Amino acid sequence: MSADGETKTTYKRVLLKISGEALMGTQGYGLHPPTVDRIAKEVKSVHDLGVEICMVIGGGNIFRGLAGAAQGMERTTADYMGMLATVMNALGMQAALEALNVNTRVISAIPMDQVCEPYIRRRAVRHLEKKRVCIFAAGTGNPYFTTDTAATLRANEMGCEAIFKGTKVDGVYDKDPKKFDDAKRYDTVSYDEVLQKNLGVMDASAIALARDNNKPIIVFSLDEPGGFRGILAGEGTYTRVQG
């Protein structure tokens, strides 16, 4: 925060990754409109700073491919169903953002022209340059890859300076802080340590891709009002995953 009270940030382009579960609020399933609206306002507050924003939203509030496969469904089919769930979440977030007068594009790795755009990298970059929020849906378009990996892939393709992962806790801990009172939070942690200790920030493929491209991951609590904007200004509590 500057002396005149204006929030300053050094980031020009970032990717926000949130889980599908973050959109269901206190419900056990689906989209909770007041929660979607609250997150949209968080995104708008950062957009108002002039930051170019990409988003990737999971689909676990509607359908999770791994869970479907665990119940006997063929894994490829289950993963495609999970990808379609992310499109539904992306459209819900788009509606909330555009209600706040934030121009938004949903860009799907699986073509479905009547509801969203197909993924074309140069076109997506142009949308960002025009200050439109780009929500990347349907993961990578391939089964066996999570939305964490999709987020890291798109962050690299779009030239984002960092990946911001909004979670239920304010960073990365050595063990589950909801179960263990003596859990310790990391201020910074290396990619290799995340992999070696299985800290659960993102899946191994996503962490390895971020490491290989030196893309920092900032883990913070999305439940904290004003948290996203504050973290971009270097305030608040968070963990930075880096080399």
Side-chain angles (χ1 to χ4, degrees):
M1 188 84 72
S2 64
D4 60 6
E6 184 181 347
T7 302
K8 302 289 186 182
T9 177
T10 58
Y11 293 101
K12 293 181 180 178
R13 182 180 294 173
V14 301
L15 185 140
L16 174 63
K17 166 64 171 70
I18 60 177
S19 67
E21 287 88 345
L23 302 184
M24 65 188 186
T26 54
Q27 299 176 162
Y29 179 82
L31 290 162
H32 182 237
T35 300
V36 177
D37 290 344
R38 177 181 63 79
I39 295 173
K41 287 174 183 174
E42 293 277 328
V43 173
K44 182 182 187 303
S45 72
V46 171
H47 184 264
D48 288 347
L49 297 176
V51 179
E52 296 170 4
I53 303 172
C54 306
M55 293 182 71
V56 171
I57 307 171
N61 57 319
I62 298 171
F63 189 87
R64 184 178 293 280
L66 271 174
Q71 294 175 32
M73 186 178 291
E74 195 269 323
R75 173 67 187 272
T76 301
T77 298
D79 279 354
Y80 279 123
M81 291 173 68
M83 290 179 219
L84 295 177
T86 71
V87 176
M88 295 173 68
N89 284 338
L91 292 172
M93 182 57 65
Q94 179 185 41
L97 284 167
E98 296 204 328
L100 299 171
N101 296 315
V102 177
N103 288 328
T104 307
R105 295 291 185 272
V106 173
I107 301 171
S108 172
I110 299 174
M112 47 187 84
D113 296 347
Q114 287 180 296
V115 294
C116 52
E117 293 185 11
Y119 176 69
I120 300 171
R121 190 184 70 83
R122 287 180 179 271
R123 183 186 291 177
V125 169
R126 187 67 180 134
H127 285 320
L128 291 171
E129 291 171 348
K130 290 183 176 181
K131 305 303 180 185
R132 296 165 180 157
V133 173
C134 288
I135 307 176
F136 296 107
T140 66
N142 301 289
Y144 296 95
F145 289 93
T146 67
T147 50
D148 281 344
T149 302
T152 311
L153 175 64
R154 297 295 184 235
N156 283 309
E157 289 181 298
M158 294 298 107
C160 295
E161 294 154 301
I163 300 165
F164 286 76
K165 180 160 185 183
T167 69
K168 295 284 186 184
V169 292
D170 58 357
V172 180
Y173 286 77
D174 59 351
K175 47 190 167 183
D176 190 342
K178 294 182 179 179
K179 295 179 181 177
F180 301 96
D181 293 335
D182 61 344
K184 295 180 180 178
R185 186 182 59 80
Y186 296 92
D187 286 327
T188 61
V189 63
S190 71
Y191 303 111
D192 288 338
E193 196 170 357
V194 168
L195 291 171
Q196 290 164 6
K197 295 184 178 179
N198 196 26
L199 294 177
V201 178
M202 288 179 163
D203 67 79
S205 297
I207 294 295
L209 185 58
R211 178 193 62 195
D212 293 348
N213 292 278
N214 198 30
K215 194 71 62 181
I217 304 166
I218 289 89
V219 183
F220 70 103
S221 173
L222 200 62
D223 291 341
E224 188 70 29
F228 186 27
R229 183 182 175 112
I231 298 302
L232 263 83
E235 301 168 357
T237 306
Y238 57 93
T239 298
R240 185 180 178 93
V241 183
Q242 59 188 23

